[in-house]
Structures are given as C-alpha cells and as structure tokens.
C-alpha cells in the first residue's frame, strides 16, 4: 500500500497539484499514519538535539517539520469539505481525534518546550530579523496556550479536552451538512409565481439531478433559498422554506446539534480555566486585536443602537407596504426578504430579476481578476486539461507584472450535495520561502446555483459581493511573500483576517467596474447609467436588517463563551434569553442560529470571534477611504502600500502595526458607521 499511495510522494502533476485522479478513500488513513509518524520523528530530533537551542535548530526546524502531514491534510480536509462521501466522513470522524492527539504530543512535549522557552527568554540577544522575532513569539505563545506550563495532571486533561472537542466539532459540521444536503422543497409549475426565468431553470435542474424530473427544487444553499424567499409570492411556501433554513441542526434525531453545543461549551470553558482565564471568551480574545470581551461589546454596542433604530424603521416600511396590498399579515421573519425586495423596487426601481442578468458569474470572475490586475499587476490565465478534484472546478495560472508565476488559483463555484454550505477560501499548498520559493495553490469555494448547460449562471448582487469577498481572501493567500509558514498568507489574527476580503468587496460597486463587466446576459449591453445610479443610491438600503442579524449572532456567540455552562443549559433557551437582553426584533432572526452556527461550533476558528467581521469592517471602511481621499480607486502608491503591508505580509507584524504601516494611523468606528449608512 505504501509504495502505491500517491499522498506519500511529492507530486509530479502540473503546478504540484495533488494527483486527484489516483486518490482513493483507502489512501488517507495510512497516509495520515505515516505522516504523523514522520512528524513525531522530526520533533524528537529537535527536542533531543544535544546542541544548545538556537533559532535555526529549534524554531526554523519546527517550521520545516510536518510538511508531509500538511500535504496529506491539505488534500483531505479540502475534499472532505467540497466533495465528501460517506467514506470520507467516517475517516474525518476518526482522524480529527487522532490529529488532536498528535498536536498535543508536540505542544505538550516538555523537552521541546524547554528549548522554545529558553530562546524566548533571551530573544532580545538573538539578533533576529523582524520576521524571525515574530515567529519565535507566536511559537512560544502557541505552546503556552496549549498548556505547556501546566502540571502533568492538567496537561493530560488538556489533551483529553482537545481530542474530544475535535470529535464534537466534526460531528457538528457533518450534522449541518446532512440537514442541508437532505432537504429539498419540490415545487410544481403552479408554485412558481414571482420566480424569475433563470431561477426556474436552475430549480428545474436541481430537481432533475435529485430524481424529480418535471418539478422544481429549492435547496438550503443560500443562493437558492434566499432568492426564493425574496421572490416567491406564495407566503405558505416561503414559510416552509424559511422554517427548514432556520431549523438546521435542531430537527431532532441523529443530526440534532443541541447536546453537542452544551458539551463543546463546557469543554471550552474548562480549557480556558486550566489556562488561567475566567472564561473561554477571555482566553480566545487574548490572542486577537480586540484583546478582551469588553472591547468587543463596546464595538457591538456602537453599531447596535443605530442598527436597531434603522431596522425598526425598515420594518414599519415593510408593514405599510403589506397593508397597502391588503394583505392581512404582520411582517414575520419569513416575510422580511420578500417585502424588502418589493420596497427596494418601489423606492429605487430595483429588483433582483432586473439585476441578475447583469451579474453573470463569468463576468464577475473577470471583474475580480481585473481589479487584481489594476491594483497588484496580476494576470489570470485559465489552464485547461488539469486533473482536478471535480469536473466543475476551474484553474488559473496567476502571474505578476514581470510574468513570474505567483500562484495557482482554483475556483469551485457551484453548489452540490457533497459540498459544505457557505463560502470560503482554503489552500492545497501554502506559501513559504524557507528553503526554496514555494508558491501557493489557493481555492475559493462557493455555493451558487448552477444554470442549465449552455446558459449563463446569474448571480444576485449579494452573490457577486460574496465572490469578491472570497477572492480578497484568495489574494491574501496568493500574494503572500514571507519566509516562514507560520506567518504566511491568512495566518493572522482572526479579527484581522477579514480585512483583505471585506476591503476587496468595495471594488465591485466601483462605477468603472460595473460599466466594464456588468453586461446583460442576453444582449451583452452594458448596465445603463441610470441603473448604475440606482444601485449606488440603494447602497444603504436594508442595512438595519443586515446589521441586526449579524450583531445578534455576534452577541450570542460572545454570551455563550462568557457564560458558565451547567447541566441545565438549553441552547435554544439561552439563545432566546440572550436576544431578549438586546431587544432583538421578532421579525429578524440571527444570521446564523446557534444549532447551525458552523463558524463557532464546526471547529474553533470563529468561536467567541464572530464579531471579527465587524471589527475588520472598521478597518476596511477606513482603508478604502484612503483611495477615496486620493481620488482614485486604483491609486498606485496606495495599492502598493496595501500589497506590501496587508496582502503580502501575512502575520509578520502585529496586525495593528501592519495597519498603521499601511494607513499611517488606526481607524475609529466612524468610517464603519458611514459605510452602513448610520452616520453622515
């Protein structure tokens, strides 16, 4: 098996891509076992080195270790999220705990930590470069946060907690995926009132693929269900779809996440207390820009008050429209999107059916590439004939202005039952310059509803914004130019990582970009100037709703991780009580309700950290104003500072220092409030 396992050998494929066509499910377990064994042997060599510790034989050696494991994991975790199978899900459940044990064996290795600790104690005398000093600091902190200074009993408990959490969060994610993949709202021709022709065509294809030819299918992919909720005139069907969407993870049976949430929270709290923190939120935020729960609440409170006032005014507008219609209804959560689209149409003469033909997927991809060329000198050439992991994935060779290879970019744009919901950026290979110049393989994963063969896939404006957002993350990975893997690409503080992505969204609505790329799917005509003006005028429409649904999720996330979780904990009751404290309007629900809040419970990434999008928006609103102040959205000198200090620098600096290096100062919340239409 070992000699036949493609995961255990350096790739000979173009661009160093994994040999996807040769991969089989049975390759993963032996590959992980071999990679972990190799990694532990590397660690033993470092920990037992008789030479006194120095940066090269300890920190740089740690950076060189685990490359095989990173390669195997890079393939497995990407495919488990994008094209999973029952076999991969079983492996995922098994391997998540094994990898947690493996990481603990390294981070709780006393001999290894003593070398790292000794170097950290005399760091000022080591004559390190700025990047090396940063890598040493982050490495030392990583060991401390894992419990390296605890006594042996506490270390064993930390290891047990880490392994159990890995298993629980994997189960949480798989449960949400199962609820999303299993659901299908089948419609007849008579159920389609209000739905556009392109949506009907996509829904017909979904039904065909799911074994119901002649019918129309609505899934729980956001690009499917949200458009249905906006457009359908059938209130009963909207309520059915909304109830399924809002209830993922709490439907009872094998995929119900409520018991998992309670155990995850209790274990996280215990881990924080073992590390000397009052609660998990304090532990998690200690390693971010925000630093404390108090700082997060201050930001949320600044936005919440004007957002709530705006949302109440928006609700009154929706209710007034319903009453003018003669509809004897009180606006509910399942109604909001439908009536909001109608108010948008009435106020700005805009609706999704009119806009979608101008936002073709291929054109929006080209627009995102064009902005990258204008800002950073990048070119994207599609590469045909590569053996990729799914037939719908596209590959692009990315080159700089000198023609040198920068990265391979993969675009995985369409929803399918085997793919996790949402949108994200990941990598099959990260960037580093430690021993050689290694360029990254970056992937954007989205869940757009695919049009029938031969027809262009049309996006909503929100879909197009999501595409730009994820491409901003991709650029953060592709433009990375650092020496050490620990600080490469998106390896930055969680509340800083959203800056490059959210900032990139701004260019979508630049008039120059809309004029050049928003072309009608049938006629090819550019977007009319008066339509472009209506889009610009509507930028702040429904921002009360958007801000309330986001902030509510961030408040609940923070509350969950600041609270003591006892045996009486009930996730849904806690959610209701948390929302009641902030006077959450009944007509709006959290953007991500607790039982399917994958940001927070499908891994540790955004736990106590969902606020990060808002924190980063404070930065991105101010950062974009630098271009506005220059009078040029592509000002070359500002773009160069942006590339050097933000997109290419990874985590080589403290994030606040990186932002100041770009902008000359830290921002305040005023730019964010202006961006959301809450201040003038």
């Amino acid at each position: 098996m070992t000699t036949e396992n493609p995961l255990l050998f350096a790739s000979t494929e173009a661009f160093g891509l994994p040999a996807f066509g040769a991969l089989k499910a049975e390759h993963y377990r032996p590959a992980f076992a071999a990679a972990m064994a190799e990694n532990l042997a590397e660690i033993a060599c470092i920990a037992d080195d008789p030479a006194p510790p120095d940066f090269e034989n300890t920190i740089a050696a740690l950076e060189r270790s685990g490359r095989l494991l990173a390669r195997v994991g890079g393939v497995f975790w990407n495919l488990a999220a994008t094209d999973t199978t029952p076999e991969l899900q079983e492996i995922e459940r098994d391997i998540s705990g094994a990898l947690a044990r493996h990481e603990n064996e390294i981070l709780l290795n006393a001999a290894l930590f003593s070398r790292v600790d000794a170097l950290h104690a005399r760091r000022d005398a080591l004559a390190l470069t700025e990047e090396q000093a940063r890598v040493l600091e982050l490495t030392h902190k990583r060991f401390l946060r894992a419990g390296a200074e605890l006594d042996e009993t506490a270390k064993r408990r930390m290891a047990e907690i880490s392994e159990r959490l890995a298993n629980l969060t994997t189960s949480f994610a798989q449960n949400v995926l199962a609820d999303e993949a299993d659901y299908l709202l089948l419609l007849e021709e008579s159920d389609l009132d209000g739905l556009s022709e392109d949506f009907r065509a996509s829904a017909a294809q979904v039904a065909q693929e799911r074994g119901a030819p002649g019918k129309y299918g609505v899934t729980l992919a956001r690009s499917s269900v949200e458009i249905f909720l906006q457009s359908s005139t059938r209130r009963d069907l909207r309520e059915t779809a909304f109830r399924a969407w809002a209830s993922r993870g709490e439907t009872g049976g094998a995929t119900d996440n409520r018991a998992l949430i309670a155990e995850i929270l209790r274990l996280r709290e215990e881990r924080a207390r073992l590390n000397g923190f009052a609660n998990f939120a304090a532990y998690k935020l200690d390693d971010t820009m925000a630093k404390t729960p108090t700082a997060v609440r201050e930001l949320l409170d600044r936005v919440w008050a004007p957002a709530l006032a705006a949302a109440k005014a928006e609700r009154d507008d929706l209710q007034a429209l319903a009453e003018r219609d003669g509809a004897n209804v009180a606006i509910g959560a399942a109604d909001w999107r439908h009536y909001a689209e109608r108010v948008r149409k009435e106020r700005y003469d805009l609706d999704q059916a009119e806009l979608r033909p101008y936002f073709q997927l291929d054109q929006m991809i080209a627009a995102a590439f064009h902005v990258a060329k204008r800002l950073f000198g990048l070119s994207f050439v599609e590469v045909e004939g590569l053996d990729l992991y799914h037939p719908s994935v596209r590959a692009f060779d990315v080159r700089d202005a000198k023609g040198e290879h920068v990265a391979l970019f993969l675009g995985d744009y369409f929803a399918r039952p085997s793919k996790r919901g949402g949108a994200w950026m990941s990598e099959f290979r990260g960037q580093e310059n430690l021993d050689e110049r290694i360029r990254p393989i970056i992937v954007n994963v989205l869940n757009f509803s695919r049009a029938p063969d031969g027809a262009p896939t049309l996006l909503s404006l929100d879909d197009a914004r999501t595409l730009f957002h994820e491409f901003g993350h991709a650029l953060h990975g592709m433009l990375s130019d650092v020496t050490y893997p620990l600080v490469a690409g998106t390896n930055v503080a969680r509340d800083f990582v959203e800056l490059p992505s959210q900032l990139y969204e701004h260019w979508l609505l630049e008039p120059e970009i809309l004029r050049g790329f928003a072309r009608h799917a049938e006629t090819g005509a550019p977007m009319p100037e008066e339509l472009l003006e209506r889009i610009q005028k509507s930028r702040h429409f429904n921002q009360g709703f958007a801000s309330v649904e986001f902030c509510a999720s961030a408040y609940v996330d923070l509350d969950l991780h600041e609270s003591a979780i006892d045996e009486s904990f009930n996730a849904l009751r806690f959610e209701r009580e948390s929302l009641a404290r902030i006077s959450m309007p009944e007509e709006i629900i959290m953007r991500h309700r607790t039982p399917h809040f994958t940001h927070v419970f499908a891994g540790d990434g955004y736990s106590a950290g969902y606020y990060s999008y808002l924190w980063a928006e404070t930065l991105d609103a101010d950062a974009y104003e630098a271009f506005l102040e220059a009078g040029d959205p592509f000002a070359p000198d500002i773009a160069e500072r942006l590339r050097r200090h933000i997109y290419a620098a990874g985590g080589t600096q403290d994030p606040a220092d990186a932002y100041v290096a770009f902008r000359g100062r830290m921002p305040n919340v005023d730019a964010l409030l202006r961006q959301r239409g809450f201040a003038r």
Side-chain angles (χ1 to χ4, degrees), residues 529-603:
E529 285 295 313
E530 52 88 19
L531 179 54
L532 190 153
E533 291 172 6
R534 282 184 272 145
I535 291 174
Q536 300 295 339
K537 289 178 181 177
S538 70
R539 290 176 80 148
H540 296 148
F541 178 74
N542 215 34
Q543 275 298 308
F545 167 85
S547 300
V548 162
E549 68 163 4
F550 171 84
C551 288
S553 296
Y555 275 121
V556 170
D557 170 34
L558 197 60
D559 286 349
L560 285 165
H561 290 102
E562 278 196 294
S563 301
I565 305 300
D566 59 26
E567 293 301 321
S568 67
F569 174 81
N570 178 289
L572 300 187
R573 182 178 66 239
F574 187 100
E575 180 184 294
R576 289 193 300 270
E577 292 172 351
S578 178
L579 294 176
R581 285 193 292 272
I582 57 173
S583 302
M584 180 73 168
E586 293 182 2
E587 301 86 357
I588 305 175
I589 68 167
M590 299 163 61
R591 183 165 179 81
H592 305 284
R593 293 195 55 245
T594 308
H596 57 258
F597 206 164
T598 53
H599 284 78
V600 171
F601 294 113

Side-chain angles (χ1 to χ4, degrees), residues 134 137-146 277 280-293 486 491-497 604-605 607-608 611-612 653-655:
R134 179 73 171 161
E137 184 66 33
L138 292 174
T139 301
H140 187 254
K141 181 176 286 189
R142 184 176 175 223
F143 277 85
L144 291 180
R145 289 174 65 81
F277 290 87
F280 182 78
Y283 165 76
K284 188 67 183 293
L285 293 169
D286 183 62
D287 198 29
T288 65
M289 290 185 76
K291 301 299 183 188
T292 67
L486 184 65
N491 292 326
V492 298
R494 179 60 63 183
D495 48 9
F496 190 74
V497 76
D604 201 26
S607 55
Y611 77 91
S612 299
Q653 279 186 294
D654 178 87

Side-chain angles (χ1 to χ4, degrees), residues 236-489:
D236 59 330
L237 295 176
R238 294 202 309 268
E239 288 178 335
T240 298
F242 185 83
R243 189 161 50 247
W245 192 36
S247 300
R248 289 165 290 157
E250 58 172 290
T251 56
T255 62
D256 197 295
N257 276 330
R258 284 172 282 188
L260 299 184
I261 291 168
E263 187 175 357
I264 289 169
L265 291 171
R266 283 194 290 269
L267 291 172
R268 284 176 175 171
E269 181 185 8
E270 184 180 357
R271 183 169 69 180
R273 292 187 183 280
L274 284 170
N275 272 295
F277 290 87
N279 53 60
F280 182 78
Y283 165 76
K284 188 67 183 293
L285 293 169
D286 183 62
D287 198 29
T288 65
M289 290 185 76
K291 301 299 183 188
T292 67
T294 299
V296 173
R297 288 192 185 278
E298 288 174 354
L299 174 62
L300 291 172
D301 290 347
R302 285 289 305 274
V303 176
W304 181 255
L308 188 59
K312 289 178 178 177
E314 291 164 4
R315 176 199 59 198
D316 293 344
D317 290 341
L318 307 189
Q319 188 64 52
L321 175 58
E323 290 172 2
R324 287 200 304 274
D325 268 359
N328 185 27
V329 300
I331 295 296
D335 299 310
W336 191 292
R337 288 170 175 79
H338 176 73
Y339 282 100
E341 286 307 307
R342 293 187 54 195
V343 170
R344 193 197 310 261
K345 172 68 174 174
E346 183 179 86
R347 187 171 297 170
Y348 301 104
D349 194 21
L350 280 179
D351 62 30
Q352 291 295 340
E354 179 184 17
L355 288 179
R356 283 167 61 82
Y358 289 101
F359 290 95
Q360 299 176 64
L361 173 59
D362 285 351
Q363 285 291 97
M364 292 302 101
I365 294 170
F369 290 172
H370 176 80
V371 172
K373 186 174 183 65
R374 292 289 307 276
L375 289 172
F376 307 124
L378 300 180
S379 61
F380 297 78
V381 177
E382 187 155 13
V383 184
E384 304 286 354
L386 297 181
D387 182 15
L388 302 174
Y389 64 86
H390 192 274
S392 66
V393 177
R394 299 170 66 182
F396 301 86
D397 180 9
V398 187
R399 295 186 175 268
D400 63 18
K402 298 177 182 178
E404 294 183 359
H405 177 70
V406 171
L408 186 71
F409 173 65
L410 307 181
D412 184 351
Y413 297 108
F414 299 114
R416 52 183 175 268
S418 61
K419 183 192 287 188
R420 196 180 81 208
W424 65 94
M425 163 267 187
S426 185
E427 63 185 31
F428 283 93
R429 183 178 66 210
Q431 180 270 327
E432 63 171 275
N433 293 326
L434 183 50
D435 295 316
E436 60 179 311
R437 185 175 183 269
I438 296 177
R439 299 311 304 168
I441 300 174
I442 302 297
V443 59
N444 269 173
V445 184
L446 299 108
N447 272 281
F448 301 139
S449 296
R450 186 172 192 167
D453 290 343
T457 293
L458 307 183
L459 307 181
S460 68
L461 184 55
D462 283 345
D463 286 341
R465 188 176 287 112
T466 298
L467 186 148
F468 266 66
H469 177 102
E470 297 306 333
F471 192 68
H473 280 308
L475 287 170
H476 200 186
M478 290 188 285
L479 287 169
S480 178
D481 190 16
V482 305
T483 301
Y484 298 96
L486 184 65
V487 291

